[in-house]
Amino acid sequence: MNDLDFLRTPEGRALLDEVRDTDPTQELAVATRLRRTHPAPLVSAALGQARLRQRAVAKFGAADAGRMFFTPNGVEQSTRASVAAYRAERLHGLGVRSVADLCCGIGGDAIALARAGIKVLAVDRSPLTCEAARANADALGLADLIEVREADVTEVDTAPYDAVFVDPARRGGRGRIFDPEAYSPPLSWAVSAARTASRAAALKVAPGIPHEAVPPDAEAEWISDGGDVKEAVLWFGAGAAPGAVRATLLPGPRTLPGTGLPDPEARTPGRYLYEPDGAVVRAHLVAEVAAQVGGGLLDATIAYVTADELLPTPYATAYEITDRMPFNVKKLKALLRERGVGTLTVKKRGSAVEPEELRKKVRPQGPNAATVFLTRVAGAPTMLIGHPAR
């Protein structure tokens, strides 16, 4: 009996409940105690699953993560639930009622699709991954909407389904894969599959995908959640605008469409600095943010916008700049000491200095807080000091 089979039995579920909140530092003591009444491999399986569930809370929330079943790769590679829900709602809004979910993993996207009322064929070639996906559909009461099939996705007939969703593997034995043609399956195959979808298709790709690798008949969307860029999606078919780009920020959603503006000009620093959301930067939509706030760039090669007025936008965080100086650690240390700054946030774009390295050198002390930006202004290494605008 494999681990997942056991963990789904009444004995296994009872063991999972018992180790649910085990502190990692107490695992050895807990394992020693439980091995007196349970086989050692099963105790290890339960503790391992509990550890994965704890890690999965950040993506799936405590309620779902506490009931789901994970593999190590599944936790690492699954779509965050909020992002999957956003995509599922967009597909549902396009009239999609059935989806072939190719490379489904442990079923994160299939769960979101099913919760949106969409029937799902979830396909993966890994037997263990498929077993986890079935277990998760069952655990969350979605088994009637999710069919899990162990198969090579390139051999699956997607014609009976309204839409195709493909999430190619982007990790290999040496870590992340950056070449889209080295995905498994390759991006070119995924694009071909998307083009055959009867209504719509969505391909999940790495947010660092080069813009020139985006097919001309696709709409490209970069998505962030809570300020962290999570993925890019290539949309085909209904609702997709070929050649268009957009940045979507969650929660919200708030979507900034590309309007084809030229790159904004560089200018002297104003009173405010705007830090565009990472999805905006990846989508090459900094010009759209600059237009919203009436600003320009600090440097032609840096995605920081500067302006004289505070014009709030959901697509960038505004900071009021109080000081500007050439990069000089001693002067920065003296300024922070004079201002009584003990809480220092270090941000950088266009600087080789690591934030933690700088923090150690200046040793901030005091009751006040500040933010320092390590960047370039007109090509020169510069420090801008300020605080979030209010």
Side-chain angles (χ1 to χ4, degrees), residues 51-67:
R51 198 179 311 123
L52 293 175
R53 285 179 168 183
Q54 290 170 4
R55 287 173 52 195
V57 168
K59 284 190 174 183
F60 291 93
D64 282 353
R67 293 183 290 165

Side-chain angles (χ1 to χ4, degrees), residues 115-133:
R115 282 176 167 167
I118 298 172
K119 289 186 68 68
V120 185
L121 171 67
V123 184
D124 203 282
R125 65 183 180 184
S126 164
L128 179 59
T129 298
C130 285
E131 186 175 355

Side-chain angles (χ1 to χ4, degrees), residues 305-317:
V305 174
T306 185
D308 299 316
E309 295 183 60
L310 178 60
L311 297 173
T313 169
Y315 304 109
T317 303

Side-chain angles (χ1 to χ4, degrees), residues 97-123:
R97 297 298 178 265
S98 62
V99 171
D101 177 4
L102 309 181
C103 309
C104 69
I106 62 163
D109 281 284
I111 290 166
L113 291 164
R115 282 176 167 167
I118 298 172
K119 289 186 68 68
V120 185
L121 171 67
V123 184

Side-chain angles (χ1 to χ4, degrees), residues 57-205:
V57 168
K59 284 190 174 183
F60 291 93
D64 282 353
R67 293 183 290 165
M68 293 173 66
F69 296 88
F70 299 97
T71 64
N73 285 340
V75 173
E76 182 71 27
Q77 299 176 17
S78 290
T79 303
R80 183 181 288 259
S82 55
V83 178
Y86 161 74
R87 182 168 43 243
E89 288 300 329
R90 180 171 175 179
L91 285 167
H92 186 270
L94 294 173
V96 169
R97 297 298 178 265
S98 62
V99 171
D101 177 4
L102 309 181
C103 309
C104 69
I106 62 163
D109 281 284
I111 290 166
L113 291 164
R115 282 176 167 167
I118 298 172
K119 289 186 68 68
V120 185
L121 171 67
V123 184
D124 203 282
R125 65 183 180 184
S126 164
L128 179 59
T129 298
C130 285
E131 186 175 355
R134 288 191 192 95
N136 290 331
D138 182 63
L140 299 179
L142 299 169
D144 289 345
L145 286 170
I146 301 174
E147 174 194 347
V148 180
R149 183 182 302 174
E150 181 188 332
D152 183 332
V153 297
T154 65
E155 298 175 356
V156 173
D157 178 14
T158 61
Y161 300 89
D162 295 339
V164 171
F165 172 65
V166 190
D167 182 5
R170 294 178 298 282
R171 287 182 179 272
R174 297 183 179 179
R176 292 182 180 177
I177 296 171
F178 297 98
D179 177 7
E181 282 308 294
Y183 292 173
S184 180
L187 180 62
S188 56
W189 178 88
V191 169
S192 296
R195 288 171 176 158
T196 66
S198 63
R199 185 162 188 81
L203 310 183
K204 177 180 171 181
V205 295

